Amino acid sequence: MRAMVLERPGSPLRLRERPTPQPGPGEALVAVEACGVCRTDLHVVDGELPDPALPLVPGHEVVGRVAALGAGVAAPAPGARVGVPWLGFTCGTCPYCAAGRENLCDRPRFTGYTRDGGYASHVVADARFVVPLPEEGDAAHLAPWLCAGLIGWRAYRMAGEGLAGEGLAGEGAALGLYGFGAAAHILAQIARWQGRRVYAFTRPGDAAAQDFARRLGAVWAGGSDELPPELLDAAIIFAPVGALVPAALKAVRKGGRVVCGGIHMSDIPSFPYRLLWEERQVVSVANLTRDDARSFLDVAPRAGLQTDITRYPLERANAALDDLRAGRLVGAAVLIP
């Protein structure tokens, strides 16, 4: 098999030839058709997330076909199209797993971080955590669903919980999306399909991203240093910039909620209590659950979800990461092995 391997954080990935792994008990070998490039991959490669399992194959937005099954695995069937997402294993016994909150498991393993991921021609996954995917459709367009979609969907559902008044339960509620990249461009389509008004916040002066947001139905798009023309019911922050938390609090109404949707963020600066007062809330999203995948995959086709992607051959993974790091991408980057 071919794989792009991280040997040391902060260094470029190296193309390596490795023996094709064999699935062990409870595992599935997946022949990769496409793997999305996620900002979390960038945090791993740049050393912002501690203790990766080196040498490591990054990537957790994997679409492929089941090539082989380990002992004791009855499903998915050989040849089935599946996705391999970020959450790659949970213990099933800790208090969080027992309470149905497997995203907070005390002993998890994560694809492309603590176990090898999909920047490769093949990947081995725990068969319990692979996601059945539609047989139809281009694998490259499905790849961003596996994290940008799933984590975005979890953040979106959390944004709608516990809001005063109608909040996101009512049609026409106003949702702000800070950082209009892979996740936001998926959520904007779902929110519009559900009748909500989307406000897109980009890097100041990023006209291309703002035009992209408007094409996807945003009623307003501007820089993250601007206030929207109306107060928001909720805001989701995808950009890993802590200074956006007080900015978003300024933009949400009384009782509104700000959801931090990333696994890593720079420090949140101090801000006056008045921004939090009046029952505004700041919450974070951690990982995902298999239930998130089931519910998202039910909604996405009905919403007519389309992903905007840029394809890169596997050996150009470093170029894809550079483009993401520099903010040159519109939509999502996808590697094709």
Side-chain angles (χ1 to χ4, degrees), residues 86-167:
W86 170 250
L87 188 64
F89 168 85
T90 59
C91 70
T93 59
C94 73
Y96 296 103
C97 287
R101 305 179 73 187
E102 65 183 10
N103 61 306
L104 300 179
C105 175
D106 283 334
R107 294 176 292 277
R109 298 187 70 191
F110 299 112
T111 309
Y113 179 34
T114 57
R115 61 184 299 159
D116 281 340
Y119 285 19
S121 59
H122 294 78
V123 62
V124 169
D126 187 317
R128 299 171 301 166
F129 287 84
V130 300
V131 178
L133 291 178
E135 287 293 326
E136 66 277 4
D138 179 11
H141 283 278
L142 292 176
W145 291 19
L146 273 298
C147 186
L150 294 183
I151 291 292
W153 176 244
R154 184 172 182 83
Y156 180 61
R157 292 206 293 176
M158 188 171 287
E161 295 175 1
L163 295 172
E166 286 189 351

Side-chain angles (χ1 to χ4, degrees), residues 103-326:
N103 61 306
L104 300 179
C105 175
D106 283 334
R107 294 176 292 277
R109 298 187 70 191
F110 299 112
T111 309
Y113 179 34
T114 57
R115 61 184 299 159
D116 281 340
Y119 285 19
S121 59
H122 294 78
V123 62
V124 169
D126 187 317
R128 299 171 301 166
F129 287 84
V130 300
V131 178
L133 291 178
E135 287 293 326
E136 66 277 4
D138 179 11
H141 283 278
L142 292 176
W145 291 19
L146 273 298
C147 186
L150 294 183
I151 291 292
W153 176 244
R154 184 172 182 83
Y156 180 61
R157 292 206 293 176
M158 188 171 287
E161 295 175 1
L163 295 172
E166 286 189 351
L168 289 177
E171 287 191 5
L175 174 69
L177 300 176
Y178 284 79
F180 205 84
H185 100 284
I186 288 173
L187 285 190
Q189 296 175 64
I190 292 176
R192 290 294 302 131
W193 175 69
Q194 293 181 338
R196 288 149 191 177
R197 297 188 307 284
V198 174
Y199 291 79
F201 298 81
T202 71
R203 297 184 186 190
D206 191 344
Q210 291 167 20
D211 289 343
F212 180 48
R214 294 187 193 98
R215 290 199 303 273
L216 291 177
V219 298
W220 177 92
S224 58
D225 56 346
E226 301 178 55
L227 286 172
E230 67 168 317
L231 291 175
L232 307 171
D233 293 288
I236 304 174
I237 300 174
F238 292 113
V241 181
L244 292 177
V245 172
L249 283 170
K250 288 180 184 178
V252 299
R253 62 168 174 79
K254 292 183 284 187
R257 178 173 286 192
V258 173
V259 180
C260 300
I263 194 171
H264 172 81
M265 180 180 276
S266 61
D267 288 348
I268 300 171
S270 64
F271 56 86
Y273 173 67
R274 61 179 172 78
L275 296 182
L276 188 62
W277 188 57
E278 295 174 318
E279 300 191 356
R280 295 175 180 86
Q281 302 173 44
V282 178
V283 298
S284 70
V285 168
N287 310 315
L288 55 95
T289 69
R290 285 170 284 184
D291 180 65
D292 293 326
R294 286 186 285 267
S295 62
F296 173 74
L297 291 171
D298 175 64
V299 167
R302 292 190 288 119
L305 183 62
Q306 300 292 321
T307 52
D308 195 288
I309 63 168
T310 302
R311 301 170 194 259
Y312 298 77
L314 178 63
E315 58 269 20
R316 295 197 68 238
N318 290 309
L321 290 166
D322 285 344
D323 287 344
L324 178 59
R325 188 183 289 109

